[in-house]
Amino acid sequence: MDNSEQIAQMKFVYGDDDAELVALLGESLAPRPPDFLLDLAVPLLTPESRLLDVGCRDARHLIPLVMRSGCTGVGIDPVERNIDRARAAVTAADLDQRIEIRRGVMEQTHESDSSVDVVWCRDVLEVIPDLQVGLSEVARVLKPGGAAVIYTVFATPRLEPREAAAVNRPLGNVPQNLERAWVEEAFRQAGFRVERLEEIGTEFREYEEERTQPVSESLLRLARLRRRREEVIQRFGRDKYDLWEASLHWLAYLLMGKVEPVAYVLRLP
């Protein structure tokens, strides 16, 4: 049997140590750090500004934004654990007089009309059941000319349908909200124009992987989770297993370009 084509392929695969390419791929591309997002928001804020953080979690972004700008802030979140952690963090930062933390969701912020100068919204759009209602609420509470800094992710063609299904349901993602055209049309319908667009891509994940390797740690935990699948399901339930399996894929998917982060600065007329 003539296997010359296979031999030629094996020579191509294994016949060169590719030292020059290996060296090239070993060079950092100086990715921007995740704190780059703060740099988008701080120039929009003054000490007189009122900032609303939608989905504030533990106030990890709200606190530095208030400290760096001198503004006052409100953080809302629907999860009690996040509210407790955010309040504790605000107290530890000695910002109780400048930051309020309370229960709320994007679709119902409990803010007055035209009462907010800037809205910060990171990793929230993906899970909003009615995105148009949520964005309309953001537009309602913003003052005329107000701005929203939004960070979200979109699915790319690299994300296979079975992969999408395996992560979206456990994480609570609304699949349509990971479609760029749908989200940008929702911005327009809510009355926003895109003032600035930053394609983040894999940069934040590259930055952190070069320093602390969180993706490698997630993949190691994923391997352990799968090896102990039956034990985990028995002790914690199938839903918890599915949640952790999806969560441990997420950072890797970001680094692999299966989902793609984008940051917007939106402006009202």
Side-chain angles (χ1 to χ4, degrees):
M1 180 181 295
D2 182 6
N3 60 356
S4 58
E5 289 187 7
Q6 181 67 8
I7 292 174
Q9 179 66 22
M10 292 303 96
K11 287 181 177 179
F12 177 75
V13 173
Y14 299 108
D16 192 330
D17 63 6
D18 290 320
E20 186 176 354
L21 178 56
V22 169
L24 182 69
L25 297 179
E27 297 175 2
S28 173
L29 297 177
R32 292 172 290 183
D35 281 354
F36 166 76
L37 295 179
L38 301 178
D39 297 332
L40 291 182
V42 169
L44 305 173
L45 296 163
T46 71
E48 289 73 42
S49 298
R50 180 175 172 84
L51 169 67
L52 173 64
D53 184 347
V54 175
C56 67
R57 291 194 284 183
D58 59 2
R60 68 184 64 178
H61 308 121
L62 180 57
I63 289 172
L65 286 170
V66 168
M67 293 180 69
R68 287 174 58 175
S69 68
C71 74
T72 58
V74 177
I76 61 172
D77 200 282
V79 179
E80 195 65 39
R81 179 171 180 264
N82 286 346
I83 294 170
D84 292 341
R85 294 167 66 201
R87 286 174 175 164
V90 168
T91 297
D94 196 24
L95 290 173
D96 288 300
Q97 301 304 310
R98 290 167 56 192
I99 294 179
E100 175 191 1
I101 303 294
R102 52 180 167 75
R103 182 183 299 277
V105 293
M106 189 180 196
E107 302 94 321
Q108 192 171 17
T109 64
H110 303 290
E111 289 287 323
S112 301
D113 292 356
S114 304
S115 60
V116 173
D117 297 282
V118 176
V119 168
W120 171 273
C121 182
R122 177 169 177 168
D123 283 322
V124 173
L125 297 194
E126 301 93 327
V127 299
I128 301 300
D130 193 327
L131 185 59
Q132 199 61 65
V133 170
L135 290 170
S136 296
E137 173 72 354
V138 170
R140 180 188 68 79
V141 304
L142 277 172
K143 296 177 181 178
V149 179
I150 292 182
Y151 170 94
T152 193
V153 302
F154 299 123
T156 76
R158 293 188 179 95
L159 186 69
E160 298 293 335
R162 289 179 61 185
E163 293 175 330
V167 296
N168 283 337
R169 186 196 62 79
L171 295 178
N173 291 337
V174 178
Q176 195 170 31
N177 294 358
L178 273 69
E179 297 176 12
R180 185 165 183 163
W182 163 258
V183 171
E184 292 185 347
E185 175 60 18
F187 292 160
R188 188 192 67 78
Q189 291 187 18
F192 289 104
R193 63 177 175 85
V194 177
E195 182 174 270
R196 184 172 177 180
L197 169 63
E198 293 287 343
E199 306 278 0
I200 306 300
T202 61
E203 287 190 64
F204 292 175
R205 298 276 58 86
E206 289 177 48
Y207 181 91
E208 295 193 336
E209 195 66 14
E210 288 175 2
R211 288 155 178 81
T212 59
Q213 298 186 311
V215 176
S216 298
E217 182 178 355
S218 291
L219 292 176
L220 178 58
R221 290 183 175 183
L222 177 62
R224 291 168 175 165
L225 176 76
R226 286 177 170 168
R227 290 183 65 189
R228 304 183 76 165
R229 182 177 184 276
E230 297 306 320
E231 177 188 351
V232 170
I233 291 175
Q234 183 176 11
R235 292 180 59 185
F236 304 101
R238 177 59 187 266
D239 287 346
K240 185 66 73 173
Y241 177 90
D242 289 344
L243 171 61
W244 272 81
E245 187 175 46
S247 297
L248 292 170
H249 275 96
W250 194 250
L251 289 186
Y253 283 178
L254 285 164
L255 187 60
M256 295 166 68
K258 289 179 178 286
V259 289
E260 180 177 65
V262 177
Y264 296 91
V265 177
L266 306 179
R267 184 76 70 171
L268 283 181

